[in-house]
Coordinates of all heavy atoms in Angstrom, one line a residue:
G1 N 147.4 185.9 151.2 CA 147.4 184.5 150.5 C 147.9 183.5 151.5 O 147.9 183.8 152.8
R2 N 148.2 182.2 151.1 CA 148.5 181.2 151.9 C 150.0 180.7 151.7 O 150.3 179.6 151.9 CB 147.6 180.1 151.8 CG 146.1 180.5 152.0 CD 145.2 179.4 151.9 NE 145.2 178.3 152.9 CZ 144.9 178.4 154.1 NH1 144.2 179.5 154.6 NH2 145.0 177.5 155.0
R3 N 150.8 181.6 151.1 CA 152.3 181.2 150.9 C 153.1 181.7 152.1 O 153.1 182.9 152.4 CB 152.8 181.8 149.6 CG 154.0 181.4 149.2 CD 154.4 181.7 147.7 NE 155.8 181.5 147.4 CZ 156.5 180.4 147.2 NH1 155.7 179.3 147.2 NH2 157.7 180.4 146.9
I4 N 153.7 180.8 152.7 CA 154.4 181.0 154.0 C 155.8 180.8 153.9 O 156.3 179.8 153.5 CB 153.8 180.2 155.2 CG1 152.3 180.4 155.3 CG2 154.5 180.5 156.5 CD1 151.6 179.5 156.2
C5 N 156.6 181.8 154.3 CA 158.1 181.6 154.5 C 158.4 181.5 155.9 O 158.1 182.1 156.8 CB 158.8 182.9 154.0 SG 160.6 182.9 154.4
S6 N 159.0 180.2 156.2 CA 159.3 179.9 157.6 C 160.8 179.9 157.8 O 161.5 179.4 157.1 CB 158.8 178.4 157.9 OG 159.2 177.9 159.2
L7 N 161.2 180.6 158.9 CA 162.5 180.9 159.2 C 163.1 179.9 160.2 O 162.5 179.9 161.4 CB 162.8 182.3 159.6 CG 162.4 183.5 158.6 CD1 162.8 184.8 159.3 CD2 163.1 183.3 157.4
R8 N 164.1 179.1 160.0 CA 164.6 178.3 161.1 C 166.1 178.7 161.1 O 166.9 178.4 160.2 CB 164.5 176.8 160.7 CG 163.3 176.2 161.1 CD 163.0 176.3 162.7 NE 164.0 175.8 163.6 CZ 163.8 174.6 164.1 NH1 162.8 173.8 164.0 NH2 164.9 174.3 164.9
T9 N 166.5 179.5 162.0 CA 167.8 180.2 162.1 C 168.7 179.8 163.1 O 169.9 180.3 163.1 CB 167.5 181.8 162.3 OG1 166.8 181.9 163.5 CG2 166.7 182.3 161.1
E10 N 168.5 178.8 163.9 CA 169.5 178.3 165.0 C 170.7 177.9 164.3 O 170.6 177.1 163.3 CB 168.8 177.3 165.8 CG 167.6 177.6 166.6 CD 166.3 177.2 165.9 OE1 166.2 177.3 164.7 OE2 165.3 176.9 166.6
L11 N 171.8 177.9 165.0 CA 173.1 177.3 164.6 C 173.1 175.9 165.1 O 173.9 175.5 166.0 CB 174.2 178.1 165.1 CG 174.2 179.6 164.6 CD1 175.3 180.3 165.2 CD2 174.2 179.7 163.1
W12 N 172.4 175.0 164.4 CA 172.1 173.6 165.1 C 172.6 172.5 164.3 O 172.1 171.4 164.2 CB 170.6 173.4 165.3 CG 169.8 173.3 164.1 CD1 170.0 173.9 162.9 CD2 168.5 172.5 163.9 NE1 169.0 173.6 162.0 CE2 168.1 172.7 162.7 CE3 167.8 171.8 164.9 CZ2 166.9 172.1 162.2 CZ3 166.6 171.2 164.4 CH2 166.3 171.4 163.1
A13 N 173.6 172.6 163.5 CA 174.2 171.7 162.5 C 174.4 170.3 163.3 O 175.0 170.4 164.4 CB 175.4 172.1 161.8
G14 N 174.0 169.3 162.7 CA 174.4 168.0 163.4 C 173.3 167.5 164.4 O 173.5 166.5 165.1
Q15 N 172.2 168.3 164.6 CA 171.2 167.9 165.6 C 170.2 167.0 164.8 O 169.3 167.5 164.1 CB 170.5 169.1 166.1 CG 169.4 168.8 167.0 CD 169.9 168.2 168.4 OE1 171.0 168.5 168.9 NE2 169.2 167.2 168.8
P16 N 170.2 165.7 164.9 CA 169.4 164.8 164.2 C 168.0 164.6 164.8 O 167.1 164.0 164.2 CB 170.1 163.5 164.0 CG 170.9 163.5 165.4 CD 171.2 165.0 165.7
A17 N 167.8 164.9 166.1 CA 166.6 164.5 166.8 C 166.4 165.4 167.9 O 167.1 166.4 168.3 CB 166.8 163.1 167.3
G18 N 165.1 165.3 168.5 CA 164.7 166.2 169.5 C 163.4 166.8 169.3 O 162.9 166.7 168.3
G19 N 162.8 167.4 170.4 CA 161.5 167.9 170.4 C 161.3 168.9 169.2 O 160.3 169.0 168.5
S20 N 162.3 169.9 169.0 CA 162.2 170.9 168.0 C 162.2 170.3 166.7 O 161.6 170.9 165.7 CB 163.5 171.9 168.2 OG 164.6 171.2 168.0
V21 N 162.9 169.1 166.3 CA 162.9 168.6 165.1 C 161.4 168.0 164.8 O 160.9 168.3 163.6 CB 163.8 167.4 165.0 CG1 163.8 166.7 163.7 CG2 165.4 167.9 165.2
G22 N 160.9 167.3 165.7 CA 159.6 166.8 165.5 C 158.5 167.8 165.4 O 157.5 167.8 164.6
H23 N 158.7 169.0 166.2 CA 157.6 170.0 166.3 C 157.7 170.8 164.9 O 156.6 171.1 164.3 CB 158.1 171.1 167.4 CG 157.1 172.1 167.6 ND1 157.1 173.2 166.9 CD2 155.9 172.1 168.4 CE1 156.0 174.1 167.3 NE2 155.3 173.3 168.3
T24 N 158.9 171.0 164.3 CA 159.0 171.7 163.1 C 158.3 171.0 161.9 O 157.5 171.3 161.1 CB 160.6 172.0 162.7 OG1 161.1 172.9 163.7 CG2 160.6 172.6 161.2
A25 N 158.6 169.6 162.0 CA 158.0 168.7 160.9 C 156.6 168.6 161.1 O 155.6 168.7 160.1 CB 158.5 167.3 161.1
G26 N 156.1 168.7 162.4 CA 154.6 168.7 162.6 C 153.9 170.0 162.2 O 152.7 170.0 161.6
V27 N 154.5 171.2 162.4 CA 154.1 172.4 162.0 C 153.9 172.5 160.4 O 152.9 172.8 159.9 CB 154.9 173.6 162.5 CG1 154.5 174.8 161.8 CG2 154.8 173.7 164.0
A28 N 155.0 172.0 159.8 CA 155.0 172.0 158.2 C 153.8 171.0 157.8 O 153.2 171.5 156.9 CB 156.3 171.5 157.8
S29 N 153.6 169.8 158.4 CA 152.6 168.9 158.0 C 151.2 169.6 158.2 O 150.4 169.5 157.3 CB 152.7 167.6 158.7 OG 151.7 166.8 158.4
G30 N 151.1 170.2 159.4 CA 149.7 170.8 159.6 C 149.4 172.0 158.8 O 148.3 172.1 158.3
L31 N 150.4 172.8 158.4 CA 150.1 173.9 157.6 C 149.8 173.5 156.2 O 148.9 174.1 155.5 CB 151.4 174.9 157.5 CG 151.5 175.7 158.9 CD1 152.8 176.4 158.8 CD2 150.4 176.7 159.1

């Protein structure tokens, strides 16, 4: 099926910006 569980497990509290932030949002939007 097409139901996806995405794990984001880094201990990154307080990180408001960066390539990984935009990349995760882009992956979510694309999926």
Side-chain angles (χ1 to χ4, degrees):
R2 302 180 68 81
R3 184 167 167 79
I4 301 171
C5 172
S6 178
L7 303 182
R8 278 301 305 256
T9 56
E10 299 98 323
L11 303 177
W12 69 330
Q15 179 66 39
S20 66
V21 174
H23 189 271
T24 296
V27 169
S29 176
L31 288 172

